[in-house]
Amino acid sequence: MKPNEFLDAIKSLGITLTKEKEHLLNIYANFLLEYNEHTNLTAIKTVEEVYLKHFYDSLTLTKIANLEQGKLLDIGTGVGFPGLVLAIVFPNLEVTLLDSNNKKILFLQECLKKLNLSNVKIIYNRAEEYTKNHREVFDYVTSRAVAELRILLELGIPSLKVNGSYLVMKGIIQEELENSQKTLKNLSCEIILKEEFELPNQAGHRTLLKIKKEKPTDLKYPRRYDQIKKKA
Ligand code: SAM
């Protein structure tokens, strides 16, 4: 997807970019590809792939949530997907990018210097450590390609405000959904939207889930990662 095709495609998501935002995305794409030549960060190697598989895909979250404002935590953001794209497109959204991989955090810090955004914070930590100590503060939590759904829920739900939503980006999800029923109950949350579609240019199947937190989370969550992995 060429940058001009991207601009057309996001119109169907109801998004029109200013020249300034177009420019910031262009800086981000080029810096990622340039950095990736000396430090292996992503398998994606062309501008067209960045615009489709990273930028367009990140913005599909607007199908299930209005992200114009509020506080958002992107768990396992990697090199900024979906969180940094959302921060560029929605300057009134306060975005916290969290990852436990130092190499990716260093990239994000350098990238942020180039983009000069005031609505982004970068955190180098494990999600379970961070969310244990930052409880009920975010309107949204997001994650793409980080862990199985039941694990994500325990990592992220403690940080959401009551009535806030976890916006989960997945491929085919049936089995994970079945394995998450107990965790959904333990964490008092409910799937309120499920949106399935194909990404353009045969880039894959996408399932987006919007999971609402109904009650404050018991202080025993999140548990240690080895316990989370073992059972609900
Ligand atoms: N979300 C990005 C994307 O879609 O391009 C990155 C996906 S990458 C496959 C998974 C990322 O999750 C890695 O950068 C990894 O370091 C991070 N991650 C996995 N478990 C984590 C945890 N418990 N706490 C923080 N980061 C975690």
Side-chain angles (χ1 to χ4, degrees), residues 178-217:
E178 284 158 20
N179 295 339
S180 299
Q181 294 310 312
K182 190 164 173 212
T183 308
L184 284 163
K185 207 166 145 216
N186 288 347
L187 296 167
S188 304
C189 47
E190 192 191 346
I191 299 174
I192 56 168
L193 259 181
K194 178 164 170 261
E195 181 84 27
E196 289 199 66
F197 54 93
E198 298 300 320
L199 288 165
N201 307 352
Q202 279 97 47
H205 187 80
R206 177 56 75 224
T207 307
L208 302 178
L209 296 178
K210 184 173 193 177
I211 299 169
K212 185 175 164 203
K213 170 162 165 171
E214 311 271 6
K215 289 187 191 154
T217 309

Side-chain angles (χ1 to χ4, degrees), residues 41-228:
L41 296 171
T42 167
I44 285 176
K45 299 275 188 273
T46 66
V47 169
E48 286 78 10
E49 280 182 297
V50 172
Y51 272 81
L52 171 58
K53 295 186 180 164
H54 287 327
F55 292 176
Y56 178 80
D57 190 26
S58 296
L59 291 176
T60 60
L61 277 183
T62 57
K63 286 175 182 277
I64 58 165
N66 176 354
L67 296 169
E68 295 281 343
Q69 55 191 6
K71 288 177 72 141
L72 179 144
L73 170 67
D74 187 19
I75 291 184
T77 191
V79 288
F81 305 117
L84 188 50
V85 181
L86 297 172
I88 291 172
V89 173
F90 301 112
N92 294 324
L93 185 68
E94 288 175 53
V95 175
T96 300
L97 304 175
L98 179 139
D99 206 284
S100 57
N101 179 316
N102 191 35
K103 199 168 70 167
K104 293 177 180 173
I105 291 291
L106 287 175
F107 164 80
L108 286 174
Q109 286 165 341
E110 288 305 308
C111 190
L112 196 56
K113 282 186 206 155
K114 293 192 179 285
L115 298 173
N116 203 18
L117 299 172
S118 57
N119 59 331
V120 178
K121 242 198 258 175
I122 298 170
I123 307 286
Y124 173 39
N125 203 349
R126 300 262 333 155
E128 56 278 22
E129 288 303 316
Y130 183 81
T131 63
K132 188 167 61 187
N133 300 312
H134 296 79
R135 310 188 73 86
E136 330 267 334
V137 279
F138 292 94
D139 302 288
Y140 299 105
V141 176
T142 53
S143 292
R144 183 183 79 162
V146 177
E148 215 185 306
L149 182 59
R150 64 173 191 87
I151 296 176
L152 284 182
L153 289 168
E154 187 163 342
L155 296 178
I157 294 291
S159 258
L160 273 176
K161 293 176 186 168
V162 172
N163 294 324
S165 306
Y166 204 147
L167 310 175
V168 180
M169 306 177 76
K170 288 279 181 187
I172 291 167
I173 202 179
Q174 197 49 41
E175 198 180 331
E176 284 186 49
L177 271 180
E178 284 158 20
N179 295 339
S180 299
Q181 294 310 312
K182 190 164 173 212
T183 308
L184 284 163
K185 207 166 145 216
N186 288 347
L187 296 167
S188 304
C189 47
E190 192 191 346
I191 299 174
I192 56 168
L193 259 181
K194 178 164 170 261
E195 181 84 27
E196 289 199 66
F197 54 93
E198 298 300 320
L199 288 165
N201 307 352
Q202 279 97 47
H205 187 80
R206 177 56 75 224
T207 307
L208 302 178
L209 296 178
K210 184 173 193 177
I211 299 169
K212 185 175 164 203
K213 170 162 165 171
E214 311 271 6
K215 289 187 191 154
T217 309
D218 192 317
L219 288 173
K220 73 178 183 217
Y221 300 115
R223 296 165 296 162
R224 289 201 331 258
Y225 197 75
D226 57 334
Q227 292 174 331
I228 301 177

